[in-house]
């Protein structure tokens, strides 16, 4: 299997999308022959750390990307608030990237060097891919993630996050190459129901529910044994920003006397920290709530191994990779049944509460977690199930094997469309007979 992987964002040093692109590409390169086309800005980090067995080609479109990035930062109002997909700035830069990719790889594609072209990043469904229109081999798109609406109970948080362009989001359907991207893609990987529902209806038969998040089992693993203890530790890890609702954690502890007997550890920082500190003081929780500030990913992993339950009340989470990391460490997660956490957390491995305003969330979490704290056997059982689900479905190696099943499907080597939640096929498994070769 020879794959041309388009990963404009692919960097081990940068959080969120770039590091996800990097880890996905590296894992795939262990399973098949991969050539990665990525932006030249990623060269220093990739040349330092390598990209496994992948061949890497650096694409330079900085004459367009540089000015567009600066404009996007200005429109966002800086870096202290949540990201919004700004079509007017991101799309021209990405268009220039794919044009350079086309010039570099078109002869090799036409000569049959590659079996599949797969765009891994960007992961936004609002950014079309011009290459899909002329690609002479099957084109795979995704994993995509987007289209999650703000809950109506949180319009004030929407304004505080400066997500004002969310009202214009639907304009991306008018972009050049939008229709051809979804019409020509042989398979579309899309994370969670909120993304799939936002795709063209004509593409649903080629769409696979495939979350983009993944974990490294070496970094996120449970301790050999959690010693029994009277006081449980509930852990929050994330930015202190409006949509992640760190204040709900404190409100839940204040609302339930059973939780007050335990400990809440909060990792992260941001503009909501003064509000969290005020709530701690208001409810007299200074001896129960510990604010640790920013921690490295390795430090967060260590804290997860020391905790008992992961408490994550975010109300507009597209990917929620931190939830899967906590699950891999053997923590049952407690999350809102909305967006990515609602798709990641199942009742047999964690706690979900319905979306509502902050008062309703605090009351619901207080009741559910208060009951959970009184049943240590259930905490242990949910944690074991969470770990098993994370490792079997979300390790980068397992996801890479799942991606190979997608490639076999689009090449006609497999009859059934893959599903993400079925067990990944073993490496070297015989592909199933199916449609005629399409490449």
């Amino acid at each position: 299997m020879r794959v041309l992987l388009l990963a404009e964002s692919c960097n081990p040093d940068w959080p969120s999308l770039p590091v996800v692109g990097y880890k996905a590409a590296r894992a795939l390169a262990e399973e098949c022959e991969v050539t990665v086309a990525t932006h030249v800005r990623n060269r220093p980090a990739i040349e330092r750390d390598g990209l496994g067995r992948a061949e890497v080609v650096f694409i330079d479109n900085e004459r367009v990307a540089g000015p567009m990035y600066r404009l996007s930062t200005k429109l966002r109002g800086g870096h202290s608030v949540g990201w919004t997909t700004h079509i007017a700035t991101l799309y021209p830069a990405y268009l220039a990237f794919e044009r350079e990719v086309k010039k570099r790889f078109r002869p090799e594609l036409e000569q049959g060097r590659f079996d599949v072209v797969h765009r891994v990043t960007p992961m936004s469904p609002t950014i079309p891919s011009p290459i899909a229109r002329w690609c002479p081999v099957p084109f795979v798109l995704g994993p995509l993630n987007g289209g999650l609406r703000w809950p109506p109970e949180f319009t004030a948080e929407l304004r505080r996050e400066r997500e004002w362009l969310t009202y214009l989001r639907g304009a991306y359907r008018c972009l050049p190459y939008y229709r051809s991207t979804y019409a020509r893609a042989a398979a579309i990987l899309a994370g969670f129901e909120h993304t799939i529902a936002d795709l063209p209806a004509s593409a649903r038969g080629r769409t696979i529910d495939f979350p983009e998040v993944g974990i490294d089992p070496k970094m996120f693993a449970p301790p050999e044994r959690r010693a029994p203890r009277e006081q449980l530790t509930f852990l929050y890890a994330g930015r202190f920003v409006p949509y992640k609702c760190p204040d709900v954690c404190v409100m839940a502890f204040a609302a339930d006397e059973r939780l007050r007997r335990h400990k809440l550890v909060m990792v992260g920082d941001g503009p909501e920290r003064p509000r969290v500190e005020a709530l701690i003081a208001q409810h007299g929780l200074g001896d129960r709530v510990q604010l640790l500030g920013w921690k490295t990913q390795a430090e967060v992993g260590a804290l997860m191994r020391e905790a008992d339950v992961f408490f994550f009340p975010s109300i507009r989470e597209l990917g929620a990779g931190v939830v899967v990391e906590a699950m891999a460490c053997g923590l049952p997660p407690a999350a809102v049944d909305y967006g990515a956490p609602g798709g990641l957390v199942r009742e047999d491995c964690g706690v979900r509460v319905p979306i509502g305003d902050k008062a309703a969330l605090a009351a619901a979490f207080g009741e559910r977690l208060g009951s959970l704290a009184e049943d240590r056997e259930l905490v242990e059982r949910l944690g074991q199930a969470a770990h098993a689900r994370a490792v079997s479905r979300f390790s980068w190696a397992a996801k890479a094997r799942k991606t190979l099943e997608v490639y076999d499907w689009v090449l006609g080597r497999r009859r059934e469309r893959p599903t993400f939640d079925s067990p990944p096929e073993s490496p070297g498994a015989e592909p199933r007979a199916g449609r005629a070769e399409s490449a």
Side-chain angles (χ1 to χ4, degrees), residues 213-215 220 319-329 344 386 390-391 394-395:
V213 296
I215 54 102
F220 296 97
V322 69
V323 172
V324 178
E325 292 167 353
M327 291 167 62
C329 291
L344 295 171
V391 173
F394 295 98
S395 72

Side-chain angles (χ1 to χ4, degrees), residues 1-6 32-35 109 112-119 135-141 186-187 403-404 406-411 413 437-439:
M1 182 82 68
R2 298 161 299 179
V3 180
L4 175 58
L5 210 64
L6 310 186
C32 59
E33 184 180 334
V34 171
T35 298
L109 282 163
R113 179 186 170 190
F114 297 103
D115 300 301
V116 174
V117 173
H118 181 182
R119 192 190 92 176
C135 187
V137 300
F139 177 80
V140 176
L141 180 65
T403 305
L404 289 188
V406 176
Y407 296 161
D408 282 338
W409 183 58
V410 301
L411 290 169
R413 302 171 183 174
E437 290 282 346
S438 57

Side-chain angles (χ1 to χ4, degrees), residues 155-172:
T155 54
E157 281 71 18
L158 183 153
R159 291 192 294 270
R160 289 162 62 200
E161 290 280 3
R162 303 183 191 179
E163 292 272 6
W164 54 274
L165 282 180
T166 190
Y167 298 113
L168 304 177
R169 186 180 180 279
Y172 74 88

Side-chain angles (χ1 to χ4, degrees), residues 11-289:
N11 195 305
D13 290 344
W14 297 343
S16 191
L17 176 64
V19 73
V20 169
Y22 174 83
K23 291 181 177 180
R26 185 164 188 151
L28 270 171
E30 294 298 312
E31 301 292 335
C32 59
E33 184 180 334
V34 171
T35 298
V36 178
T38 189
H39 196 279
V40 70
R41 74 172 76 92
N42 303 310
R43 183 194 291 271
I46 290 178
E47 289 188 341
R48 183 197 67 221
D49 291 359
L51 197 49
R53 298 178 181 178
E55 175 189 355
V56 185
V57 176
F58 296 101
I59 304 297
D60 189 352
N61 68 324
E62 195 60 19
R63 66 186 184 281
V64 177
M68 291 296 99
Y69 175 80
R70 290 189 289 273
L71 176 59
S72 178
T73 301
K74 184 176 181 179
L75 286 173
R76 289 198 307 271
H79 301 281
S80 62
V81 296
W83 286 72
T84 298
T85 300
H86 294 294
I87 303 301
T89 57
L90 297 181
Y91 180 59
Y94 187 71
L95 188 66
F97 174 82
E98 283 210 6
R99 284 178 174 169
E100 294 299 323
V101 170
K102 180 179 178 180
K103 286 194 293 185
R104 168 64 177 79
F105 287 102
R106 185 165 191 166
E108 295 173 66
L109 282 163
E110 292 178 342
Q111 292 165 14
R113 179 186 170 190
F114 297 103
D115 300 301
V116 174
V117 173
H118 181 182
R119 192 190 92 176
V120 175
T121 68
M123 295 179 179
S124 170
T126 66
I127 306 296
S129 190
I131 283 179
R133 187 171 185 173
W134 62 265
C135 187
V137 300
F139 177 80
V140 176
L141 180 65
L144 304 176
N145 198 331
L148 182 62
R149 303 293 187 257
W150 276 86
E153 299 91 344
F154 289 87
T155 54
E157 281 71 18
L158 183 153
R159 291 192 294 270
R160 289 162 62 200
E161 290 280 3
R162 303 183 191 179
E163 292 272 6
W164 54 274
L165 282 180
T166 190
Y167 298 113
L168 304 177
R169 186 180 180 279
Y172 74 88
R173 294 183 176 89
C174 299
L175 288 175
Y177 305 109
Y178 171 77
R179 291 185 180 180
S180 61
T181 295
Y182 291 100
R184 298 295 302 275
I188 302 159
L189 311 182
F192 311 110
E193 294 179 1
H194 59 262
T195 305
I196 295 173
D198 207 41
L199 299 179
S202 60
R204 305 285 170 78
R206 291 169 282 120
T207 299
I208 300 166
D209 188 342
F210 198 106
E212 82 276 15
V213 296
I215 54 102
D216 180 353
K218 294 180 180 179
M219 180 173 291
F220 296 97
E224 291 185 5
R225 183 175 180 271
R226 281 188 169 88
R229 50 194 172 189
E230 183 177 344
Q231 187 182 61
L232 297 181
T233 296
F234 293 78
L235 176 68
Y236 168 90
R239 290 182 296 143
F240 281 44
V241 293
Y243 77 90
K244 289 187 182 286
C245 300
D247 51 346
V248 169
C249 295
V250 180
M251 293 165 64
F253 261 65
D256 193 281
E257 287 297 327
R258 294 169 297 180
L259 285 180
R260 282 178 173 266
R261 297 196 291 268
H262 302 283
K263 182 171 65 172
L264 173 63
V265 174
M266 304 187 73
V267 176
D269 212 336
E272 292 294 284
R273 178 159 180 163
R275 172 174 169 77
V276 170
E277 291 173 335
L279 284 170
I280 293 171
Q282 175 187 340
H283 295 288
L285 292 171
D287 62 338
R288 287 292 179 261
V289 183

Side-chain angles (χ1 to χ4, degrees), residues 346-379:
R346 296 186 170 186
E347 288 295 336
D348 63 350
C349 67
V351 171
R352 296 182 300 192
V353 304
I355 190 70
D357 61 23
K358 285 191 175 183
L361 289 179
F365 276 121
E367 173 59 32
R368 293 292 304 277
L369 294 182
S371 297
L372 182 64
E374 294 186 326
D375 190 342
R376 306 303 174 86
E377 291 185 2
L378 179 58
V379 172

Side-chain angles (χ1 to χ4, degrees), residues 234 342 425-426:
F234 293 78
E425 291 182 354
S426 302

